Amino acid sequence: EIVLTQSPATLSLSPGERATLSCRASQSVSRYLAWYQQKPGQAPRVLIYDASNRATGIPARFSGSGSGTDFTLTISSLEPEDFAVYYCQQRSNWPLTFGGGTEVEI
Amino acid sequence: QVQLVESGGGLVKPGGSLRLSCAVSGLSFSDTYMSWIRQAPGKGLEWVSYINKGSSQRIYADSVNGRFTISRDNAKNSLYLQMNSLRVEDTAVYYCARARGAGLGGYFDIWGQGALVTVSS
């Protein structure tokens, strides 16, 4: 099973600041990595798929990079609605796995 | 408007069974790959199971393999998860989700609102 390790667990920032979230895989997942945002009481929403492709309707302030084992989600300038938990997910191998999440808090 | 609506959640005793349903509308369900994903209270996301368009490929997480069965009825635009021999650790919100992307598994671009399953004596 591919283990995804997200860091940091919590990121304390202010609106307007830049957020950099990391996801490290225990073995190469090529570019088969997605990022999700989840707010309390809501289902997750896909932000980025295949490492760097923004999903439909996702603002340009969200960007993804990386390949192999190291990936980054960047939020260029935090908006109030961006404070949430973010998960990465790989689809390179069965079983599909998620990272433990990074909470972006004010 | 695309909608995935789960139903069938509830309280069940350890060792019991439950069947979740996911009604899909607004898209061509028979052309859609689907998965179930769960989230224990206050915890992260865990992928549970995947089914391809024609039901010929069904994949399970080790934690549910042999106890859960995923199925679909393309004529009814519905996805199912039969859960048997339930354990306390199966307590979670269960989401159905559309899987996209060529190749293995997919990423999940459309999610239902979730159904809460509580396993407790």
Side-chain angles (χ1 to χ4, degrees):
Chain A
E1 169 175 323
I2 295 177
V3 176
L4 299 178
T5 302
Q6 292 188 240
S7 62
T10 305
L11 200 50
S12 299
L13 294 169
S14 300
E17 291 191 297
R18 182 184 188 90
T20 303
L21 287 68
S22 173
C23 177
R24 177 163 290 178
S26 59
Q27 64 189 76
S28 177
V29 299
S30 184
R31 292 181 59 81
Y32 294 128
L33 191 104
W35 290 94
Y36 301 84
Q37 177 193 68
Q38 188 179 32
K39 297 179 182 179
Q42 297 184 16
R45 173 176 73 145
V46 66
L47 302 173
I48 302 288
Y49 65 93
D50 294 348
S52 61
N53 296 293
R54 260 191 311 276
T56 302
I58 301 303
R61 64 181 181 273
F62 292 92
S63 63
S65 63
S67 65
T69 61
D70 289 299
F71 299 86
T72 301
L73 174 70
T74 301
I75 311 171
S76 59
S77 179
L78 283 163
E79 297 287 342
E81 62 267 27
D82 299 336
F83 292 91
V85 180
Y86 293 82
Y87 295 95
C88 56
Q89 175 243 328
Q90 65 82 21
R91 67 179 187 93
S92 174
N93 282 72
W94 297 111
L96 308 181
T97 50
F98 289 88
T102 290
E103 181 179 9
V104 177
E105 64 171 23
I106 299 177
Chain B
Q1 179 188 358
V2 178
Q3 265 196 312
L4 279 61
V5 180
E6 299 96 337
S7 60
L11 174 63
V12 61
K13 289 181 166 52
S17 298
L18 213 53
R19 187 198 198 205
L20 300 181
S21 299
C22 172
V24 178
S25 59
L27 55 82
S28 177
F29 180 68
S30 59
D31 288 332
T32 300
Y33 300 88
M34 298 293 295
S35 266
W36 288 97
I37 296 144
R38 69 184 181 183
Q39 187 169 36
K43 302 296 185 183
L45 300 167
E46 179 188 16
W47 168 80
V48 172
S49 185
Y50 164 92
I51 188 168
N52 69 351
K53 293 187 292 185
S55 302
S56 61
Q57 186 182 32
R58 309 183 198 206
I59 312 290
Y60 300 93
D62 285 348
S63 58
V64 306
N65 198 22
R67 300 187 298 122
F68 290 11
T69 301
I70 191 171
S71 63
R72 64 191 296 161
D73 186 335
N74 288 342
K76 294 183 177 180
N77 291 342
S78 292
L79 175 74
Y80 306 102
L81 186 68
Q82 177 66 44
M83 303 182 293
N84 298 332
S85 303
L86 281 161
R87 305 168 180 168
V88 170
E89 55 264 34
D90 295 319
T91 295
V93 173
Y94 285 73
Y95 296 99
C96 60
R98 181 173 77 168
R100 297 297 300 279
L104 188 63
Y107 64 92
F108 308 108
D109 68 335
I110 304 173
W111 296 65
Q113 86 287 351
L116 177 61
V117 173
T118 302
V119 185
S120 175
S121 55

